Amino acid sequence: MNTPKRADVILKGIPLSPGLAEGRICRVRSVPFQKTGGGGAASDPAGEEERFSRARERALEELKALEEATRQTLGSDKAAIFQAHQWMAQDPLLVDGVASGIREGQSAEDALVETTLALKAQFEALSDPYFRERAADILDVGQRLHRILTGSEDLSRLPEEDCLLAVEELAPSDAALLGTKKGVRGVLTAEGGPTSHFAILLKSLELPGISGLPLRDDLFVPGETALCDGETGEVVVSPSEETRSRFRDRMEQQERTRSRLKAGIDAPARTRDGHSVGLWGNIASPHDASGVLDAGGTGVGLFRTEFLFMGRTTPPDEEEQFQAYREALTALAPFPVTIRTLDAGGDKEVPYVKGLVGEEANPFLGLRALRVCLQHPDLFRTQLRALVRASAHGNLRVMLPLVSSLWEVRQARTLLEEVRAECRDQGHPTAERIPLGIMVEVPSAAILADRLAREVDFFSVGTNDLIQYTLAVDRQNPRLLSWYDPFHPAVLRLLALTAQGARAAGVEVGMCGEMAGDRLALPLLVALGYDDLSMSSARIPWVKETLLRLDRPSCQALWEEVQGMESGSAIRDRLAAFQEATGE
């Protein structure tokens, strides 16, 4: 008896990145990284050593290609990890360890697993936090070599035709690789949250993404067609012709919308009644600057400088930082570029900084961001000198992360002024004025907004952390996603308090967290008087289209209405109804 072909298997996950995609399921999985006890070396140790040597050569070729491709698409900062992995693949501790295991009668695979795990354990046991962090990189390199030896699947060999990548989770090197793969139309994962760095990367690449999916073999069959809706988090596996036809109609509409948005990128970003809002881009390297302009952005609200520090044993020196900042400022001139000082710690692991800070029981509440810079002024001064020197080449704004007290701002400003005077004495040209602002991302900063506004030139709300700290919710934990709510009444009150404090002191107030690119939130941000919203460049045209349909009196009336609501879900429903009524 033949089993009838299944159709329209609908699965619901967590939306990571918006968009629609159709493709065949590309199920990527690896052979378990464990010893099997398989033979081979005992009878032919020379052959096993030769296999391992060829695997290393192949791994180095892959890593060099990945380094170059990533440098071209995502910048040198993200490419650095692949350079570090090349060094590790050639490290005598690894190479000699595997050779020794083979000579003792193990297969190349088993010798590699044993050596890698032994090295990983040794590094994890070291007292130096930086070297402890290298354990994850050693495992990444070992797994790459193991994949080559076993012939298992990997992202570098994904098909060029349309595919939906289905993978349990991604290593840092895998996530960066997505930017170089033209055949990937969407990503389906078991792990990951909407404010994770992986989700942010997907948005910047304009790839739909969904997490929290049960990637069982009976549900995700390689080669089977699936539909991905990154807006709703819905996946349809083996869609019927009728479902597929309706979905393709939606995809065609999506493309028409994109074409329409592209045609309107030069339109002023303002409401129907003439209220202007700056729509800016978030970038992680100078290479991203052109994407902001291409999307119709009129500035950068967040340059994440921590990416310059990642994947390296020492921090970038003054000259390297100066070149990066100058490149971004020159590319965007005369538009403003807001460069955030080093924001390391929490979910932004920078090995060098980890070595300075040491192990902490709770890194999110520990020595991170501005706290590290103030405790290590030499590190901070180097960055400030590079920023001050770069200020002569464009419209620079310097932004301090994780401010919680007035004294932090005053101390940072003192250092900035000292460095500026020092650079001028040494003959470096600098801007006449360098605006200094802060990120509002902890409740204390929002509560003290009226006082802090007297000390700075602008505010930018980092909603990802503000929501996390206000609601005591780890935004990286997928089990807590129902508690992580941008529309929670407490969060909205803090947004209002911040805007009021800024207005009273006459300073600009903006937003650079993920909420800035959420069209559902836009009417409330207009009502509260946010001057600029900074987001993934790909989101700028979409937010602009929504902005053009709004008028400020209606937005203010909506804000008055939602203030009386008691839950984020009720507020969200009201915002959705408002969006529908305005023609979305």
Side-chain angles (χ1 to χ4, degrees):
M1 180 177 174
N2 293 328
T3 303
K5 187 180 185 299
R6 65 177 183 170
D8 289 345
V9 179
I10 300 174
L11 303 167
K12 183 74 172 178
I14 301 162
L16 291 182
S17 178
L20 305 172
E22 176 183 358
R24 295 192 176 278
I25 294 171
C26 298
R27 185 72 170 94
V28 173
R29 70 186 106 224
S30 299
V31 174
F33 191 69
Q34 59 190 33
K35 292 173 66 175
T36 64
S43 58
D44 188 14
E48 290 298 291
E49 288 198 50
E50 177 62 24
R51 284 182 62 229
F52 179 63
S53 178
R54 289 197 301 270
R56 280 201 312 117
E57 290 174 4
R58 167 75 178 278
L60 289 172
E61 289 173 2
E62 287 183 1
L63 290 165
K64 286 175 184 175
L66 285 172
E67 181 189 0
E68 182 56 32
T70 305
R71 181 177 289 109
Q72 293 295 324
T73 57
L74 300 174
S76 299
D77 44 330
K78 295 186 181 72
I81 188 172
F82 297 114
Q83 186 178 62
H85 285 195
Q86 289 173 58
W87 297 334
M88 292 179 186
Q90 301 174 82
D91 193 309
L93 288 173
L94 177 67
V95 177
D96 294 346
V98 174
S100 176
I102 290 173
R103 287 193 291 271
E104 291 173 2
Q106 292 182 318
S107 66
E109 291 89 339
D110 281 2
L112 172 65
V113 170
E114 183 176 278
T115 303
T116 301
L117 295 181
L119 287 174
K120 176 175 177 285
Q122 288 173 24
F123 273 72
E124 287 174 336
L126 294 174
S127 58
D128 188 321
Y130 169 77
F131 287 107
R132 284 203 302 273
E133 292 301 319
R134 299 284 58 75
D137 290 315
I138 290 167
L139 181 61
D140 200 331
V141 171
Q143 289 174 330
R144 178 177 294 277
L145 289 163
H146 188 259
R147 170 186 51 72
I148 294 170
L149 284 169
T150 58
S152 58
E153 302 160 309
D154 76 293
L155 297 185
S156 67
R157 285 181 276 184
L158 287 173
E160 289 302 317
E161 65 269 16
D162 297 351
C163 77
L164 295 178
L165 173 63
V167 58
E168 293 290 337
E169 57 184 346
L170 292 173
S173 58
D174 293 330
L177 178 60
L178 284 179
T180 70
K181 303 307 295 181
K182 303 303 181 186
V184 177
R185 294 288 174 261
V187 180
L188 313 173
T189 72
E191 304 293 334
T195 62
S196 64
H197 286 291
F198 169 55
I200 292 169
L201 176 64
L202 286 184
K203 291 186 182 83
S204 68
L205 295 172
E206 296 189 68
L207 283 176
I210 301 172
S211 69
L213 294 167
L215 299 183
R216 302 200 317 260
D217 290 345
D218 60 323
L219 293 177
F220 291 87
V221 179
E224 200 165 8
T225 298
L227 311 175
C228 166
D229 186 338
E231 198 82 54
T232 65
E234 189 172 274
V235 179
V236 182
V237 179
S238 189
S240 65
E241 282 305 315
E242 181 182 355
T243 300
R244 203 170 177 182
S245 177
R246 288 198 304 268
F247 193 84
R248 286 180 172 175
D249 288 343
R250 291 178 61 203
M251 290 179 68
E252 288 175 8
Q253 176 61 43
Q254 176 182 261
E255 289 308 309
R256 287 194 294 271
T257 301
R258 283 178 173 164
S259 297
R260 185 182 72 246
L261 294 176
K262 187 174 181 180
I265 61 171
D266 294 326
R270 59 190 179 208
T271 61
R272 289 187 302 164
D273 57 328
H275 176 70
S276 295
V277 178
L279 298 184
W280 296 354
N282 294 339
I283 66 174
S285 80
H287 299 78
D288 301 334
S290 60
V292 176
L293 298 176
D294 292 343
T298 54
V300 166
L302 173 60
F303 182 152
R304 299 181 176 97
T305 62
E306 60 270 15
F307 286 99
L308 298 174
F309 291 74
M310 290 180 173
R312 53 195 305 160
T313 58
T314 58
D317 62 21
E318 179 185 324
E319 190 62 28
E320 183 180 346
Q321 291 190 60
F322 164 69
Q323 296 292 346
Y325 306 149
R326 182 179 67 175
E327 184 180 342
L329 286 162
T330 302
L332 266 295
F335 297 124
V337 176
T338 309
I339 301 184
R340 181 174 67 188
T341 59
L342 178 61
D343 186 9
D347 60 337
K348 306 177 187 76
E349 280 206 359
V350 175
Y352 174 77
V353 174
K354 185 83 171 178
L356 294 177
V357 172
E359 201 63 39
E360 294 186 297
N362 193 335
F364 280 97
L365 300 179
L367 199 61
R368 57 170 293 203
L370 183 60
R371 298 170 183 178
V372 174
C373 291
L374 293 177
Q375 191 164 99
H376 297 275
D378 289 344
L379 177 70
F380 198 22
R381 290 179 74 93
T382 298
Q383 183 171 40
L384 292 178
R385 278 184 59 87
L387 288 167
V388 167
R389 288 175 56 199
S391 70
H393 300 275
N395 187 355
L396 171 67
R397 307 192 324 163
V398 174
M399 184 164 66
L400 307 173
L402 205 76
V403 167
S404 58
S405 304
L406 292 164
W407 70 265
E408 296 169 320
V409 178
R410 291 169 180 162
Q411 191 169 331
R413 185 180 286 282
T414 297
L415 279 172
L416 178 60
E417 292 305 321
E418 287 177 2
V419 164
R420 188 162 172 265
E422 184 181 279
C423 287
R424 285 192 159 188
D425 289 344
Q426 293 169 351
H428 295 295
T430 70
E432 285 300 314
R433 181 174 178 272
I434 303 175
L436 180 67
I438 65 167
M439 288 190 74
V440 176
E441 48 190 338
V442 297
S444 64
I447 293 166
L448 288 175
D450 58 335
R451 301 279 298 278
L452 285 165
R454 302 173 201 159
E455 307 282 336
V456 300
D457 300 297
F458 65 91
F459 286 161
S460 185
V461 180
T463 52
N464 299 354
D465 268 338
L466 182 62
I467 297 165
Q468 172 173 249
Y469 289 126
T470 300
L471 303 180
V473 173
D474 178 1
R475 60 188 174 92
Q476 302 288 88
N477 187 338
R479 291 175 294 178
L480 297 177
L481 286 177
S482 59
W483 278 269
Y484 184 90
D485 186 359
F487 299 108
H488 190 290
V491 174
L492 296 184
R493 284 193 183 189
L494 291 181
L495 295 183
L497 199 59
T498 301
Q500 291 164 10
R503 286 277 165 261
V507 303
E508 293 182 15
V509 59
M511 180 179 288
C512 60
E514 288 300 295
M515 193 175 183
D518 186 343
R519 294 186 292 170
L520 211 58
L522 184 59
L524 299 186
L525 303 180
V526 168
L528 292 172
Y530 277 75
D531 297 294
D532 53 79
L533 305 173
S534 192
M535 62 204 74
S536 163
S537 297
R539 298 295 298 162
I540 293 174
W542 297 86
V543 173
K544 182 185 289 187
E545 182 180 60
T546 300
L547 181 68
L548 296 174
R549 293 188 176 127
L550 301 177
D551 65 85
R552 202 170 186 200
S554 296
C555 293
Q556 290 169 334
L558 177 66
W559 166 244
E560 291 299 323
E561 182 181 348
V562 302
Q563 282 188 82
M565 295 182 175
E566 297 180 347
S567 70
S569 59
I571 293 171
R572 187 184 297 274
D573 289 345
R574 180 65 187 95
L575 294 176
F578 181 84
Q579 186 180 69
E580 186 176 352
T582 54
E584 286 290 302

